[in-house]
Amino acid sequence: MSLPAFAEPSPGGVVLHALTHYEPTHETDDPGPLGRWSSLRPVRGPQLTLVGPPAEPVAPTPEVLGRLVCHVLEVLDGRRSVTQLRTILSDPAYEALLTRLRMTTPGRRHRLRSLHTCYPTSTAVELSAVIEVSDRSKERPRIRAAAIRFDRVDDRWHCAVLRIL
């Protein structure tokens, strides 16, 4: 949009002036030199570079997920510090693990009996686990269930939900 070189003051008292270096000239007699895009010669070489679709994020394997669950169980056993898992746990999952750690009686052993994985989307992995909790004073171990969800945030997988039932 171009404006005349001088404009009448508007009711607000603003006067607009053309910027000589930025505004096009209003002379129609001389079209001026043609720009660099006026060449009628065909362009040589490739015009477009074809790019494939972005790669889907690679979900962790069940073996890697099993190791992560075992790390959580080692925290509950007292064999691993909870701060070692801080980088992979979201804030709610970290708080849930701290709460579970405060409620766990010392001397119990947690063992992963089975792990089932589900990949609902390319950026989420859901796990259901069966955990055996044995107490040294009791003969029969107790069976617990766990629900865990890993979400992909940027380039890393974070544990978004950690529930031991």
Side-chain angles (χ1 to χ4, degrees):
M1 175 174 131
S2 63
L3 298 172
F6 295 102
E8 295 293 324
S10 65
V14 177
V15 178
L16 299 176
H17 298 283
L19 297 173
T20 57
H21 297 293
Y22 296 102
E23 290 288 324
T25 62
H26 297 289
E27 300 171 7
T28 57
D29 297 337
D30 182 24
L34 296 176
R36 67 181 186 143
W37 300 107
S38 65
S39 173
L40 298 177
R41 290 178 285 140
V43 178
R44 298 186 184 190
Q47 295 295 310
L48 297 174
T49 303
L50 298 178
V51 178
E56 290 289 323
V58 178
T61 63
E63 292 80 20
V64 172
L65 296 170
R67 268 189 274 135
L68 292 173
V69 173
C70 287
H71 292 327
V72 171
L73 298 180
E74 289 172 1
V75 168
L76 294 175
D77 288 347
R79 296 181 285 153
R80 180 182 292 271
S81 172
V82 70
T83 57
Q84 293 180 2
L85 299 181
R86 185 64 185 111
T87 58
I88 64 167
L89 297 174
S90 65
D91 291 336
Y94 185 72
E95 294 297 326
L97 184 60
L98 285 177
T99 302
R100 177 61 71 167
L101 189 59
R102 287 186 208 113
M103 294 174 32
T104 301
T105 308
R108 289 187 174 177
R109 293 289 176 216
H110 298 77
R111 186 175 70 93
L112 182 63
R113 290 183 71 177
S114 68
L115 181 69
H116 301 280
T117 59
C118 175
Y119 300 90
T121 67
S122 62
T123 59
V125 179
E126 294 178 350
L127 309 170
S128 61
V130 177
I131 300 169
E132 180 180 299
V133 181
S134 61
D135 196 355
R136 291 181 182 159
S137 63
K138 296 183 180 177
E139 297 171 7
R140 292 188 68 190
R142 298 182 75 184
I143 304 298
R144 300 276 185 208
I148 304 165
R149 180 182 172 102
F150 285 93
D151 287 328
R152 185 171 178 88
V153 178
D154 297 328
D155 291 338
R156 302 194 59 189
W157 289 90
H158 291 279
C159 180
V161 177
L162 173 64
R163 299 282 188 267
I164 300 176
L165 311 172

